[in-house]
């Protein structure tokens, strides 16, 4: 079974803090994704990566950056957290024979106060 | 903008009935189609995928794809209260998927 883990289930940060969200997958998947999910807005893609050190902007990259130094790990960075970044953050991965099928981690509910 | 449209619901069906969930998409170049189930407070779980026109069955679930009409649906037979969740349709021309906002399904005992 595909396993995607995220570093925190719940996180509370203050405005202006630098925030790191970590995602690790154990299936040797090439592709990894960061989404945020908000009521009424659905799942929105922030960034994705199709290889180590490679990244592509999604639909809403502003205010975020990412890092992928190792194949199994994909980090989302909020450079200076703001209250409008309060959301559920979901990481997903895909690859191998199941190249388009994305599997999600449990999510991190981030609150910025 | 590549759009994936779903009726937000809630769709209410009695236990044992067939639930029919629908999704339309705008990108004619889309090649892969997925249905995810998401329980409240949980992350999306992949339940079905379909790549070719026609029907694909897996247990109580059937995915139906009509590329000419840009339409994909999910049928859930013998619906159970445990099927109550939000169902997300996702469509991909490539690695990055476009998600609909989901349809809320309520199965009543």
């Amino acid at each position: 079974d595909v396993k995607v883990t995220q570093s925190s289930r719940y996180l509370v940060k203050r405005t202006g803090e630098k925030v790191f969200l970590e995602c690790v997958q154990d299936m040797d998947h090439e592709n990894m994704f960061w989404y945020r999910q908000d009521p009424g807005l659905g799942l929105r893609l922030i960034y994705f990566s199709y290889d180590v050190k490679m990244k592509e902007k999604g639909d809403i990259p502003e205010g975020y950056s990412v890092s992928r130094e190792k194949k199994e790990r994909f980090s989302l960075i909020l450079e200076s957290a703001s209250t409008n970044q309060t959301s559920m953050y979901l990481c997903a991965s895909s690859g191998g024979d199941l190249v388009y099928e994305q599997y999600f981690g449990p999510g991190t509910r981030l609150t910025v106060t | 903008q590549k759009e994936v449209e779903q009726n937000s619901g809630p769709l209410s069906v009695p236990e044992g009935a067939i639930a029919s969930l629908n999704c339309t998409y705008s990108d004619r170049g889309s090649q892969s189609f997925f249905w995810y189930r998401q329980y409240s407070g949980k992350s999306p779980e992949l339940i079905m995928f379909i790549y070719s026109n026609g029907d694909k069955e897996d247990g109580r679930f059937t995915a139906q794809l009509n590329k000419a009409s840009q339409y994909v649906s999910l049928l859930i037979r013998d619906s159970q209260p445990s099927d109550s969740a939000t169902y997300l349709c996702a469509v991909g021309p490539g690695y990055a998927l476009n998600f609909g906002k989901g349809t809320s399904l309520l199965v009543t005992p």
Side-chain angles (χ1 to χ4, degrees):
Chain A
D1 280 354
V2 175
K3 189 163 185 184
V4 181
T5 57
Q6 296 183 228
S7 51
S8 304
R9 191 74 180 90
Y10 298 94
L11 205 53
V12 180
K13 295 292 182 181
R14 293 196 180 274
T15 301
E17 280 193 81
K18 192 169 186 176
V19 181
F20 294 85
L21 302 182
E22 299 274 313
C23 176
V24 177
Q25 50 92 7
D26 68 355
M27 285 300 293
D28 201 35
H29 280 172
E30 294 79 16
N31 310 308
M32 297 187 75
F33 307 83
W34 275 107
Y35 296 89
R36 62 178 284 179
Q37 188 174 33
D38 301 286
L41 297 177
L43 272 168
R44 293 180 291 169
L45 181 65
I46 305 171
Y47 268 98
F48 70 98
S49 168
Y50 52 89
D51 201 351
V52 175
K53 298 191 186 294
M54 305 302 289
K55 61 185 180 184
E56 292 281 346
K57 292 181 180 179
D59 298 320
I60 52 162
E62 297 80 16
Y64 304 95
S65 62
V66 290
S67 172
R68 192 162 180 206
E69 297 295 322
K70 293 186 177 181
K71 191 175 186 180
E72 68 272 17
R73 189 179 298 269
F74 192 34
S75 301
L76 180 69
I77 303 154
L78 286 65
E79 297 290 343
S80 178
S82 63
T83 55
N84 63 13
Q85 293 178 309
T86 291
S87 186
M88 171 67 87
Y89 289 88
L90 290 158
C91 175
S93 73
S94 69
D97 293 339
L98 311 174
V99 63
Y100 297 121
E101 297 157 32
Q102 292 186 21
Y103 295 86
F104 285 84
T108 295
R109 184 163 294 282
L110 172 67
T111 302
V112 182
T113 62
Chain B
Q1 185 74 9
K2 297 171 183 174
E3 302 206 342
V4 178
E5 300 284 345
Q6 297 181 255
N7 189 318
S8 62
L11 173 67
S12 183
V13 300
E15 185 174 355
I18 296 175
S20 177
L21 304 162
N22 304 314
C23 172
T24 58
Y25 60 94
S26 63
D27 183 3
R28 281 199 171 273
S30 299
Q31 297 294 324
S32 56
F33 307 86
F34 306 88
W35 284 99
Y36 287 82
R37 178 177 62 200
Q38 186 173 25
Y39 293 113
S40 181
K42 301 293 187 182
S43 61
E45 173 193 8
L46 180 64
I47 55 172
M48 288 290 289
F49 60 89
I50 186 166
Y51 296 144
S52 303
N53 273 331
D55 294 1
K56 180 181 178 183
E57 188 174 316
D58 183 1
R60 296 186 296 112
F61 298 102
T62 299
Q64 298 176 317
L65 175 62
N66 184 325
K67 288 186 179 180
S69 299
Q70 294 177 244
Y71 177 96
V72 57
S73 64
L74 179 71
L75 302 178
I76 306 174
R77 289 182 300 281
D78 188 25
S79 295
Q80 300 296 310
S82 59
D83 294 325
S84 298
T86 296
Y87 289 80
L88 306 177
C89 173
V91 175
Y95 300 129
L97 302 180
N98 298 305
F99 283 82
K101 294 180 181 178
T103 298
S104 175
L105 173 66
L106 178 64
V107 181
T108 54

